Amino acid sequence: MYLSETRAGDKARSEERPGRRRGWRGLVSANVLALGMTSLITDISSEMVTAVLPVYLVTGLGLSMLQFGFLDGVYSGSTALLRIVGGYLADKFTARKAVAGSGYLMSAVTKLGFPLVGASVPGIGMMMAVDRAGKGIRTAPRDALISLSTPPESQGRAFGVHRAMDTVGAFIGPVIAFALMSMMSTQLGTAYDAVFVVSFCIGAVGVVALVLFVRDPFTRKKTARVAVSLRAGLGMLGNAAFRRACVGACLLGLATVSDAFIYLALQDRTDLAISWFPLLPLGTTGVYLLAAVPLGGLADRIGRWKIFLAGHACLIGAYLLTGGVLDLRGTALILVVLALHGLFYAATDGVLMAHAGPLIPEELRTSGLSVLQTTQTLGRSVSSVAFGAAWMRWGPENTIQGFTVALTAAVLLCMVMLRPGAAHGPEVAGV
């Protein structure tokens, strides 16, 4: 019944809701811009740590690839159940902003925990888990706020704008980390601590930005067409189109190599100096920044699921190069792999949420998105542990080649989901 609502009805409702006012030359609502600014600031904080964490753990603390893979899996998988619980609470109490804010605050505080736990692997694992738990709690409410502040036919563009702003922060973060590491290159231990402390300070500013500028469009809503419960959120899997999105995201997640492993493999193949390692994410981020809005708009026009799969085709190209199947070396290898990696994110991150959002009733928007994100996260968590173990046994190139085959098979399976009859119109299913 929800999917049969007319576009005219969607437009009328969009004019009644707070947070739907159009901003930035009419491209997106003011609420999306406020969320984008919050994410920009927060990503400066998080990407400072993300940029140095792999080399800090593997080179600085001497962890094996199996240990790193386990921690990376914990880093991803710790968000799974909390995503669903957070989504339920956000919908139940129409408190998406409050739940998102608690997640942002958790992630900011953990940055101070890294220097406190030192070289303790269990302590580091705990900090990574809490940090990712914060991300898991905030992501679905944030994406629900974006979706609920945007008409169905413009979801791809809105998520593209948000992800582009988010990516500006992801671009700035590694630069700050690189500057701190360079200034203290003779005292790496102190340099890592400086990165963590500065990251916390910036993360705290992001929390303040959320509190001051983001609005929850439904805080004053008194009636609901759908009863909110954990069962109802999981019951969204009964919707065939939504279920296909979840299954596809999980399959592809199982064959998606963690960013950290991509960067470590590049560093291994090119003998890149450790001090330059924090700059590797900038290549991914720069392309992501440039491509997020155009690909989001293109997804609205030609189909979001098609663009989503095209992004994974770019990732396959990055695998072929990193795994040595295609012969490219040195700086050219780094630049091309990072460019393909950036296109992968621009074509998949916000596009998947834009595809799924209109399939979910408004009262369950956060719960439904959290279910989708959980299936993807669980797949990627298993992938990280498996990749770390395989690296230890067969080396980086052979392992990446194996994952290339797996990802190719997953993309082919997901293409079956594009069969005739699977679509519900570009503004709804985005196929």
Side-chain angles (χ1 to χ4, degrees):
M1 182 170 129
Y2 175 76
L3 296 178
S4 65
E5 292 180 45
T6 64
R7 188 181 301 183
D10 286 323
K11 182 177 180 181
R13 286 194 306 275
S14 72
E15 291 172 351
E16 296 171 359
R17 294 174 186 150
R20 285 291 184 103
R21 293 176 300 171
R22 309 289 279 183
W24 197 11
R25 301 180 182 178
L27 285 178
V28 294
S29 72
N31 216 33
V32 172
L33 294 181
L35 286 161
M37 183 56 64
T38 299
S39 293
L40 187 158
I41 298 169
T42 301
D43 248 38
I44 294 176
S45 168
S46 62
E47 292 303 319
M48 286 179 63
V49 174
T50 299
V52 303
L53 199 58
V55 71
Y56 171 65
L57 296 176
V58 175
T59 303
L61 301 184
L63 269 63
S64 69
M65 283 297 169
L66 179 58
Q67 288 175 309
F68 178 73
F70 175 77
L71 286 177
D72 196 60
V74 170
Y75 194 55
S76 300
S78 60
T79 70
L81 293 178
L82 284 175
R83 286 177 186 268
I84 294 177
V85 173
Y88 161 70
L89 292 175
D91 283 337
K92 180 68 175 178
F93 301 103
T94 58
R96 299 175 183 92
K97 174 180 173 179
V99 174
S102 67
Y104 281 111
L105 183 61
M106 284 175 62
S107 293
V109 171
T110 56
K111 304 304 188 298
L112 293 180
F114 285 106
L116 293 178
V117 299
S120 168
V121 174
I124 292 170
M126 182 180 296
M127 290 301 103
M128 293 174 70
V130 174
D131 179 41
R132 287 300 91 178
K135 181 177 175 62
I137 289 172
R138 74 179 185 249
T139 300
R142 181 203 66 197
D143 285 348
L145 286 170
I146 296 170
S147 182
L148 292 168
S149 299
T150 307
E153 68 275 8
S154 302
Q155 296 274 313
R157 181 175 57 192
F159 276 98
V161 170
H162 173 269
R163 295 312 197 253
M165 296 180 71
D166 179 276
T167 305
V168 171
F171 194 89
I172 297 172
V175 173
I176 297 176
F178 172 73
L180 291 171
M181 295 285 287
S182 297
M183 287 188 294
M184 303 179 180
S185 57
T186 58
Q187 298 175 308
L188 283 179
T190 303
Y192 289 127
D193 289 349
V195 170
F196 295 137
V197 172
V198 173
S199 172
F200 161 74
C201 295
I202 296 174
V205 174
V207 175
V208 173
L210 176 80
V211 171
L212 294 179
F213 301 114
V214 174
R215 302 172 64 195
D216 194 327
F218 287 90
T219 52
R220 293 190 294 272
K221 191 174 182 67
K222 296 181 180 179
T223 61
R225 290 170 294 157
V226 180
V228 177
S229 67
L230 286 172
R231 186 174 183 178
L234 293 172
M236 282 303 305
L237 292 171
N239 179 314
F242 181 74
R243 184 171 62 250
R244 280 193 292 269
C246 290
V247 171
C250 185
L251 284 174
L252 293 165
L254 286 168
T256 299
V257 177
S258 164
D259 297 358
F261 280 123
I262 292 283
Y263 302 144
L264 286 169
L266 281 177
Q267 195 270 335
D268 180 73
R269 285 204 68 198
T270 59
D271 294 323
L272 186 72
I274 295 299
S275 61
W276 289 91
F277 188 90
L279 293 184
L280 287 178
L282 292 184
T284 296
T285 302
V287 175
Y288 187 2
L289 174 61
L290 294 174
V293 176
L295 287 180
L298 182 63
D300 285 337
R301 293 194 297 274
I302 72 171
R304 294 163 193 153
W305 194 247
K306 294 176 183 177
I307 296 297
F308 182 67
L309 292 182
H312 285 85
C314 292
L315 186 60
I316 290 172
Y319 285 3
L320 291 171
L321 289 165
T322 308
V325 176
L326 300 178
D327 189 20
L328 196 63
R329 301 179 185 278
T331 303
L333 171 66
I334 293 175
L335 293 176
V336 175
V337 168
L338 295 181
L340 289 170
H341 201 220
L343 287 173
F344 158 68
Y345 273 114
T348 58
D349 189 13
V351 170
L352 179 61
M353 297 301 105
H355 168 78
L359 298 173
I360 308 167
E362 294 166 356
E363 292 81 6
L364 296 173
R365 190 67 55 90
T366 317
S367 301
L369 290 180
S370 69
V371 170
L372 173 60
Q373 291 166 1
T374 295
T375 60
Q376 185 180 48
T377 297
L378 288 174
R380 291 187 176 183
S381 178
V382 172
S383 172
S384 289
V385 177
F387 191 91
W391 181 313
M392 290 289 293
R393 184 174 179 84
W394 294 297
E397 291 190 358
N398 290 333
T399 301
I400 291 176
Q401 290 170 15
F403 269 70
T404 303
V405 174
L407 183 59
T408 302
V411 169
L412 292 175
L413 282 173
C414 288
M415 288 178 66
V416 177
M417 298 177 189
L418 289 173
R419 65 189 183 279
H424 294 277
E427 76 279 6
V428 176
V431 178

